[in-house]
Amino acid sequence: MLRSLVGSEMCIRDRYQRRVRGRSHVHGMAKAEYTALHRKSCCCNICRCCDPCCAPRTNRAIMVLLILSAIFLIAGTLFPWGLRKFVQSGIEDQYVIDGPSATGFSDWQDSRKAKAPQYYKITAMNITNPDDVLKGAKPHIQEIGPYVYSEISVKKNVTWDDDGDIVNYWDQHYYVFEPELSGEGLSDTDLYTNINFVLQGLWFALPGMFTDMKSKALGTLTWQSLLKTLMCRAHANQPDEHKHFEWHSPFMRRSVKEMYFGYTDDPLLIELNKIAKMLKATANISIPLQLTTFPGLENNYTDENGIFPVYKYSNINRQYTGKKDFSKAREYILWENQTSAFACPTIPCPLFQTEWEKNKTNTRNKYGWWQMWETLEAGDVTTKDGTYFKFGVEKNSVLSLFIDTIFRSVGLKNMDGETTDDVHGIELLRFRIQHKDLLNASLSKANAVYDSNGPSGMLNLTTPSQFPLFITKPAFLDGSPSLIEGIDGMTQSRDDDTYLDVEPNTGITMRERKQLQLNGVIQDWSLTHGPHISIPGWDDCGDGAGMEEWDGHWGVKEPIYTPYIVIREETEISSDDASTFKGSALAAYDAADALEIWSNVAAGLCFLVALVLIGVKLRRKSSHAQMQMESTEATDLPRPPVREQQDSSDDVVGAMARHSQDDAAEPYRLLDCMEEE
């Protein structure tokens, strides 16, 4: 069409030039000859029409193109929106657990029914030179593992409130050892050497437990002398095969399963309960009785009762289902019946009640629960659980979630738009812990509420655990250089980082990899000189040679943060679910994106061609205006005289005269035609 218009303009110019060459040339032609020439110059073969007809066709073409452009724009907006809403509706149907008949209820209620297995991998940190460490040497770490467990989560007593918008449940976890998936020849009964956390806990807790010792003292009793007596008697009363170290050693040798999931009949706790009963009987000094079980660092309820009969499963959890507002789906209202994280370091504890949060002192003293962090806001649990976030997750954004292992919410950030496609070929955004959350309080005042007073790169869980416990990334990744320099035998790798891989269109977490290192600390203690406790009915400590002189100093000049165990918790979408997702949700999103792009391209092209046609039309009008001015000058020339009829009765001669007169006026009628156009 553009060529036609350009050709039409050339026709007009050619016709005009022919006319201006001289009227005598036109007038001297026979009518048939002139008509043929006129058709050849005016009715060009390119446009296939005489130019007075081209303007209406151009207008129609412009109108059609503009209408097509609008249609493409509307289609490129509505159809992609409809496709995405269709996909989102399906995802909501899968993730909204508003009743036992909900589509995703079965997988959500019991992880064994889900297609994606959950694995819990433990790497033991074996200290190969414990005696040298107490003389000032660096701990040499031997990594043993992985010990792989299937992690099973079962939700009990599930109920709903607010017409299905809120779900309540108790969460019970099982960890089942998988020898075939573990390192070759490994068993979770393998022994390894590391810090004695029960001893560390007593050193931390005894000063507070015996605040009334001075007013109700029994002889020379102090908490320091009591601790030394406990250490000595626990060592003396152990079977010989368990006496791996001297009585005052801070190390113990236990199996992987015992170190992490706990064990019964701890020697120190057995002696502590004996002393508690004795002090109550002889001096009326009340000490909270403890179970003789070390609870470990993770509860493993491998049967209905678990290790602790009082805890069949955890306290109540309460979450939004997303039925009324899907953006809140999987968001905690209560975790363990708490809106802010509390801990009970003594076993057993009464189940936590939400109203206890109002009085920190009373809660601690009366019920045994401690507020984990300096403020309730610091322990806020009312964020996502990490399985789903929102539709349309953007690059470089921050996602907030509650991590129960560290008892706090954190913000994971997509650093510099980092992506990965190694989860069954699905392109995902990777979110990592922000560096600012790992800084100590001197570098980030906001972290002071979390007792971050040690080296950067550590989360201090001493208050929640009631014994010195610190969490870092494996091999102190992203921590202060002094941490990795204080030990031998470990190397850092970026693959050991904690991260979430989230599909950006749907906000679904396709892979979760939580990799954390639990650490203790070896340091000299300040224990006063003095005798051990002498209580009637007790045998002498026996093998505690030098106990009265030992003041708690081993020769460790600076605190050594020592790796205890590394846990790796991994969850990944199954290959079957990934194929279904790619063939349905992802395909629909790709189709919506393609439709949106190509509709916009088509709309743009139609609009661009319409603009070109408008430009050509305006240019032609400008040319016509110029020709009109020139033709006005041409009309000043005298018109050819009309020959008079010599014989009015001669019809043939009269007809020839009229044709000759019409031929002379033809160029002016063509000019009038151009002006009308």
Side-chain angles (χ1 to χ4, degrees):
M1 184 175 290
L2 181 59
R3 292 177 59 194
S4 299
L5 291 171
V6 173
S8 178
E9 184 174 349
M10 293 173 63
C11 290
I12 295 170
R13 289 185 176 276
D14 180 62
R15 182 186 60 191
Y16 173 71
Q17 290 170 0
R18 288 176 179 273
R19 189 191 67 181
V20 174
R21 285 175 189 160
R23 294 183 316 177
S24 60
H25 176 71
V26 177
H27 294 166
M29 294 181 182
K31 182 175 182 178
E33 184 181 358
Y34 170 76
T35 301
L37 178 61
H38 175 264
R39 291 181 183 278
K40 185 176 180 180
S41 61
C42 176
C43 300
C44 300
N45 291 329
I46 299 177
C47 75
R48 299 290 181 182
C49 68
C50 294
D51 53 79
C53 304
C54 290
R57 293 191 179 184
T58 303
N59 292 338
R60 286 196 297 270
I62 292 173
M63 182 62 67
V64 169
L65 288 169
L66 291 177
I67 291 173
L68 285 175
S69 179
I71 291 173
F72 282 128
L73 281 176
I74 294 172
T77 301
L78 293 182
F79 283 102
W81 177 83
L83 275 175
R84 294 187 182 107
K85 288 298 292 184
F86 178 76
V87 174
Q88 291 171 6
S89 177
I91 292 172
E92 290 178 12
D93 184 62
Q94 181 68 33
Y95 275 82
V96 173
I97 311 298
D98 58 349
S101 60
T103 304
F105 174 78
S106 179
D107 291 356
W108 171 83
Q109 189 268 334
D110 190 336
S111 64
R112 290 171 294 186
K113 299 176 182 178
K115 295 179 181 179
Q118 295 176 306
Y119 293 117
Y120 206 80
K121 300 179 181 180
I122 295 176
T123 302
M125 302 287 109
N126 183 44
I127 299 177
T128 62
N129 59 337
D131 294 334
D132 293 336
V133 171
L134 297 183
K135 298 176 183 178
K138 291 181 181 181
H140 185 273
I141 305 300
Q142 177 191 14
E143 299 183 48
I144 306 175
Y147 298 87
V148 180
Y149 291 79
S150 289
E151 181 180 3
I152 301 167
S153 173
V154 180
K155 295 175 175 62
K156 306 275 189 174
N157 299 346
V158 182
T159 60
W160 287 268
D161 295 325
D162 195 14
D163 193 29
D165 192 45
I166 295 173
V167 63
N168 312 290
Y169 61 91
W170 278 258
D171 208 1
Q172 186 174 9
H173 283 273
Y174 302 84
Y175 298 92
V176 180
F177 182 62
E178 303 284 356
E180 294 182 358
L181 300 178
S182 301
E184 184 177 357
L186 295 181
S187 168
D188 63 350
T189 58
D190 297 338
L191 300 180
Y192 78 103
T193 299
N194 212 292
I195 294 173
N196 188 333
F197 270 138
V198 175
L199 178 59
Q200 294 272 326
L202 289 174
W203 172 77
F204 183 85
L206 278 178
M209 293 172 61
F210 290 88
T211 53
D212 60 345
M213 282 298 108
K214 290 186 178 179
S215 60
K216 298 180 180 180
L218 180 63
T220 58
L221 177 63
T222 63
W223 75 266
Q224 292 95 334
S225 59
L226 175 59
L227 179 59
K228 288 196 290 183
T229 300
L230 288 172
M231 294 169 66
C232 181
R233 289 189 58 81
H235 187 270
N237 293 332
Q238 283 190 95
D240 289 342
E241 61 267 22
H242 291 167
K243 294 180 180 179
H244 302 288
F245 308 102
E246 295 185 23
W247 69 270
H248 56 76
S249 173
F251 299 107
M252 68 175 179
R253 190 166 177 80
R254 290 273 182 177
S255 71
V256 174
K257 179 171 63 175
E258 291 173 326
M259 285 281 202
Y260 192 64
F261 295 118
Y263 55 89
T264 58
D265 300 327
D266 181 83
L268 284 166
L269 295 179
I270 290 173
E271 300 303 324
L272 177 61
N273 276 273
K274 288 180 181 179
I275 290 181
K277 293 177 181 179
M278 197 70 67
L279 291 178
K280 178 65 176 178
T282 58
N284 198 29
I285 298 176
S286 296
I287 304 174
L289 292 177
Q290 307 288 312
L291 292 178
T292 60
T293 298
F294 170 57
L297 302 177
E298 180 66 53
N299 294 326
N300 184 10
Y301 304 112
T302 53
D303 55 47
E304 284 297 315
N305 292 322
I307 293 178
F308 311 114
V310 69
Y311 287 127
K312 282 191 175 182
Y313 26 76
S314 65
N315 206 343
I316 188 172
N317 295 300
R318 188 172 172 88
Q319 288 180 306
Y320 287 110
T321 64
K323 182 177 182 179
K324 296 182 178 179
D325 182 359
F326 191 63
S327 65
K328 291 186 175 182
R330 308 296 173 92
E331 183 177 302
Y332 282 111
I333 302 171
L334 295 173
W335 172 78
E336 299 284 330
N337 208 28
Q338 307 163 15
T339 61
S340 182
F342 281 72
C344 183
T346 59
I347 301 294
C349 291
L351 291 177
F352 189 86
Q353 304 301 313
T354 306
E355 58 267 20
W356 294 351
E357 295 178 356
K358 300 175 182 178
N359 191 322
K360 179 171 68 174
T361 303
N362 188 52
T363 299
R364 177 187 301 172
N365 296 340
K366 186 175 181 179
Y367 305 110
W369 287 85
W370 294 66
Q371 181 177 310
M372 290 193 186
W373 310 115
E374 185 176 320
T375 65
L376 291 175
E377 292 74 18
D380 180 35
V381 306
T382 56
T383 54
K384 297 279 190 174
D385 65 3
T387 56
Y388 168 79
F389 291 97
K390 63 177 182 178
F391 295 124
V393 177
E394 298 179 351
K395 290 185 177 181
N396 303 311
S397 60
V398 176
L399 301 177
S400 295
L401 71 155
F402 177 73
I403 302 179
D404 56 3
T405 308
I406 60 176
F407 310 109
R408 58 177 281 197
S409 298
V410 297
L412 272 61
K413 185 174 182 180
N414 177 241
M415 308 289 188
D416 301 321
E418 182 182 7
T419 62
T420 180
D421 62 358
D422 61 351
V423 181
H424 308 293
I426 302 173
E427 185 169 345
L428 308 172
L429 296 180
R430 178 159 292 178
F431 290 80
R432 302 179 186 269
I433 296 175
Q434 298 180 87
H435 182 65
K436 67 181 183 65
D437 291 332
L438 300 175
L439 298 175
N440 63 25
S442 64
L443 298 176
S444 175
K445 293 182 179 180
N447 291 337
V449 296
Y450 299 109
D451 301 326
S452 299
N453 301 315
S456 291
M458 295 196 312
L459 301 177
N460 186 357
L461 297 187
T462 299
T463 298
S465 306
Q466 290 297 287
F467 61 85
L469 179 65
F470 307 88
I471 288 186
T472 65
K473 296 179 181 181
F476 302 111
L477 182 67
D478 295 331
S480 172
S482 63
L483 294 173
I484 190 66
E485 292 170 359
I487 61 170
D488 287 330
M490 297 187 74
T491 57
Q492 296 179 338
S493 171
R494 181 52 58 187
D495 292 337
D496 289 333
D497 205 356
T498 291
Y499 55 82
L500 293 180
D501 290 336
V502 179
E503 203 286 312
N505 293 302
T506 60
I508 297 173
T509 299
M510 296 290 181
R511 175 167 58 193
E512 173 190 0
R513 182 164 291 176
K514 182 168 63 177
Q515 303 184 107
L516 301 173
Q517 178 176 296
L518 282 66
N519 308 273
V521 61
I522 302 173
Q523 58 186 337
D524 281 345
W525 294 344
S526 294
L527 301 179
T528 57
H529 294 279
H532 63 277
I533 302 172
S534 177
I535 299 177
W538 276 44
D539 296 328
D540 186 71
C541 186
D543 58 354
M547 188 185 72
E548 296 182 3
E549 291 76 22
W550 184 67
D551 60 1
H553 288 79
W554 289 292
V556 180
K557 297 180 180 180
E558 297 291 338
I560 303 174
Y561 294 96
T562 307
Y564 181 74
I565 212 163
V566 171
I567 57 172
R568 292 179 171 89
E569 190 173 1
E570 300 182 18
T571 305
E572 183 176 308
I573 186 174
S574 68
S575 58
D576 290 344
D577 287 342
S579 297
T580 301
F581 179 81
K582 288 191 292 184
S584 56
L586 204 56
Y589 270 104
D590 290 342
D593 291 341
L595 181 59
E596 190 172 49
I597 292 171
W598 288 111
S599 294
N600 289 332
V601 169
L605 287 175
C606 289
F607 188 73
L608 180 62
V609 173
L611 288 179
V612 171
L613 294 181
I614 292 172
V616 170
K617 181 179 178 181
L618 293 176
R619 181 181 177 187
R620 190 176 63 186
K621 284 188 176 182
S622 176
S623 298
H624 289 178
Q626 182 180 359
M627 286 188 290
Q628 184 178 7
M629 293 177 61
E630 296 176 356
S631 65
T632 301
E633 297 175 358
T635 56
D636 293 337
L637 298 173
R639 288 181 177 264
V642 180
R643 291 182 296 176
E644 296 180 358
Q645 292 182 342
Q646 296 179 357
D647 186 356
S648 58
S649 63
D650 189 347
D651 294 336
V652 177
V653 175
M656 292 179 61
R658 286 193 298 273
H659 284 305
S660 178
Q661 192 173 9
D662 291 340
D663 290 342
E666 181 67 18
Y668 300 95
R669 286 199 296 271
L670 290 173
L671 181 60
D672 293 339
C673 179
M674 289 189 296
E675 291 171 354
E676 290 175 1
E677 183 188 348

